[in-house]
């Protein structure tokens, strides 16, 4: 087991979707210090296609990875040889991008003789509250991104219990599709949130799927069909989509997503509190965690149920490599041997191997 007091410094590499990222993170007594964090988005390359094109993503990662790694090391003022290890996302994600990252990391590790840790991208998101806030295990995590949506009890760096998740679209996907249906730019989340701020969330009452069923599973695909119908009705009435209609549709949609997330979080909290955690906490991560009204609903729920609410800063909610470096630090600290098997690039890699597999696929490929 590595001495927990030793300030490990790791390079992290992330390329599982449409962001090429590298970061250097040093472990502190509580949490970590981000010495550098570079993220190069491929959004422009995919914009014309209405979604991430895996082949374009893989090629762009392969072109940019070396540069981004060099920039991250230079900005941190840390030479490759001064690192303790390299951590790389080895799944789940779009396989071409994951392979690009793993190959780059392997080359660096071979050349420098540094240990190489394969990190689960979802573990990166799920462990972020420990990087930023030094949160104690076990905590409850709501992971809500463009590709994933699940409740996890995080009991250790490699100890996750999934309480439930989406059975179809992830909320970020639903935000993106809503934006597309309403002629708003991608990524849809921030655009829909900005429109919703001008709208009346009570005008359209969109469905709250699966609230009538027990458990923490969620569904968001029906929401976009309901939105499409409401949009068409507005357009038929006015001969086009009026600004106020668009804002009200966004507000109604966002309200429905927030209501489902809040109600399912309430149920997840009940299950989590049965473990009698010493310092109960709910943390939220992933791109959708950037949404102000959703955060506010979760904060209110935590105030009511006596949990601490933690949401990482926005730049750490969306994909980044600091979370990968941090997950690598946690893995080494836990004494997990960086085994070669971890370095197989995996398109699908559930955090809780005992849970029933989620069906369908998201923007990052198969759901985990
Ligand atoms: O975590 P992330 O960067 O990538 C994935 O792992 O998917 O999340 C990106 C997703 C996109 O679908 C984007 O529309 C959504 O997060 N998102 C938001 C907001 N900002 C980003 N959704 C709702 N409100 C936001 N403010
Ligand atoms: Zn992600």
């Amino acid at each position: 087991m590595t001495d927990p007091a030793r300030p490990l410094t790791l390079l992290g590499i992330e390329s599982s979707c449409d962001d090429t990222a590298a970061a250097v993170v040093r472990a502190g007594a509580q949490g970590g210090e981000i010495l550098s964090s570079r993220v190069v988005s491929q959004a422009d390359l995919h914009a014309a296609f209405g979604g991430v094109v895996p082949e374009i993503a893989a090629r762009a990662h392969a072109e940019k990875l070396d540069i981004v790694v060099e920039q991250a090391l230079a900005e941190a003022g840390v030479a490759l040889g001064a690192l303790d290890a390299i951590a790389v996302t080895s799944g789940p994600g779009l396989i071409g991008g994951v392979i690009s990252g793993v190959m780059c990391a392997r080359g660096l590790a071979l050349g420098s003789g540094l240990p190489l840790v394969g990190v689960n991208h979802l573990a990166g998101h799920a462990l972020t509250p420990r990087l930023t806030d030094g949160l104690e295990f076990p905590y409850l995590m709501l992971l809500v991104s463009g590709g994933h949506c699940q409740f996890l009890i995080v009991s250790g760096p490699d100890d996750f219990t999934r309480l439930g998740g989406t059975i179809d679209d992830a909320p970020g996907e639903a935000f993106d599709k809503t934006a597309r249906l309403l002629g708003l730019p991608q990524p849809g989340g921030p655009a829909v949130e900005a429109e919703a701020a001008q709208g009346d969330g009570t005008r359209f009452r969109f469905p709250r799927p699966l609230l009538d069923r027990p458990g923490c599973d969620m569904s968001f695909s029906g929401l976009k069909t309901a939105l499409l119908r409401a949009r068409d009705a507005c357009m038929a009435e006015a001969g086009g989509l009026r600004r106020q209609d668009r804002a009200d549709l966004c507000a109604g949609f966002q309200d429905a997503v927030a209501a489902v997330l809040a109600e399912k979080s309430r149920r997840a909290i009940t299950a989590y509190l049965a473990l009698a955690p010493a310092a109960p906490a709910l943390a939220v991560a992933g791109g959708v965690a950037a949404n102000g009204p959703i955060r506010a609903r979760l904060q209110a729920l935590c105030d009511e149920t006596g949990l601490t609410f933690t949401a990482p800063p926005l730049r750490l909610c969306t994909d980044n490599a600091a979370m990968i470096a941090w997950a690598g630090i946690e893995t080494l600290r836990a004494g997990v041997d960086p085994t070669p098997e971890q370095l197989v690039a995996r398109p699908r890699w559930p955090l809780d191997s005992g849970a029933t597999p989620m069906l369908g696929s998201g923007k990052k490929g198969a759901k985990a």
Side-chain angles (χ1 to χ4, degrees):
M1 168 99 77
T2 314
D3 173 7
R6 193 173 147 227
L8 290 171
T9 306
L10 262 70
L11 168 70
I13 296 175
E14 156 63 35
S15 58
S16 65
C17 188
D18 55 353
D19 292 305
T20 313
V24 179
V25 174
R26 179 163 293 154
Q30 241 211 345
E33 187 190 352
I34 300 172
L35 303 183
S36 66
S37 180
R38 306 280 303 181
V39 181
V40 177
S41 167
Q42 302 177 352
D44 290 352
L45 295 178
H46 303 290
F49 303 97
V52 181
V53 183
E55 290 76 12
I56 295 178
R59 207 170 318 131
H61 284 307
E63 277 168 15
K64 286 275 171 4
L65 274 162
D66 291 2
I67 302 164
V68 173
V69 165
E70 226 175 275
Q71 288 173 341
L73 289 171
E75 197 183 312
V78 176
L80 192 61
L83 294 166
D84 292 290
I86 298 169
V88 61
T89 301
S90 51
L94 297 174
I95 195 65
V98 177
I99 290 173
S100 299
V102 167
M103 295 307 282
C104 170
R106 261 200 194 138
L108 288 167
L110 271 175
S112 60
L114 289 170
L116 183 53
V117 189
V119 166
N120 183 312
H121 176 88
L122 300 173
H125 279 303
L127 295 169
T128 298
R130 288 174 53 79
L131 161 67
T132 54
D133 297 78
L135 219 60
E136 292 293 329
F137 296 125
Y139 54 89
L140 179 63
M141 154 70 51
L142 169 58
L143 178 52
V144 265
S145 71
H148 300 285
C149 177
Q150 50 192 294
F151 288 105
L152 296 162
I153 294 176
V154 187
S155 304
D158 192 25
D159 186 353
F160 304 92
T161 308
R162 197 180 70 208
L163 298 176
T166 182
I167 58 164
D168 42 54
D169 288 357
E173 257 173 302
F175 269 97
D176 294 342
K177 286 176 183 168
T178 294
R180 221 167 284 137
L181 289 174
L182 299 177
L184 294 168
Q186 296 292 314
V192 170
E193 182 180 356
E195 281 289 319
Q198 315 297 322
D200 171 7
T202 60
R203 180 173 157 205
F204 298 98
R205 168 89 190 164
F206 290 120
R208 270 88 169 130
L210 297 194
L211 280 196
D212 52 339
R213 277 198 234 159
C216 299
D217 280 347
M218 292 161 277
S219 160
F220 296 99
S221 71
L223 210 47
K224 96 191 154 234
T225 316
L227 182 112
L228 179 64
R229 281 209 204 98
R231 180 204 70 175
D232 288 349
C234 288
M235 288 175 75
E237 194 187 309
L241 194 60
R242 287 180 299 216
R243 278 188 85 166
Q244 196 55 48
D245 291 340
R246 186 160 78 175
D248 292 345
L249 286 165
C250 285
F253 163 81
Q254 185 173 268
D255 242 42
V257 174
V260 170
L261 290 175
E263 175 52 30
K264 295 289 175 167
S265 298
R266 183 185 292 280
R267 295 181 197 178
I269 286 172
T270 305
Y272 161 68
L273 286 177
L275 297 178
L282 169 68
V284 65
V288 182
N291 187 281
I294 291 176
R295 280 190 191 223
R297 288 285 273 268
L298 297 173
Q299 175 74 63
L301 179 64
C302 286
D303 291 347
E304 188 193 315
T305 48
L307 270 70
T308 303
F309 178 65
T310 306
L314 302 191
R315 74 197 162 88
L316 295 175
C317 279
T318 48
D319 286 352
N320 66 88
M323 68 179 192
I324 303 304
W326 175 256
I329 288 171
E330 294 255 27
T331 306
L332 291 177
R333 273 179 168 178
V336 177
D337 196 18
T339 51
E341 299 91 80
Q342 280 180 294
L343 274 163
V344 176
R346 300 162 73 169
R348 189 172 211 140
W349 185 1
L351 280 178
D352 179 352
S353 52
T356 325
M358 303 305 283
L359 298 175
S361 60
K363 82 170 189 184
K364 298 183 76 170
K367 286 198 165 59

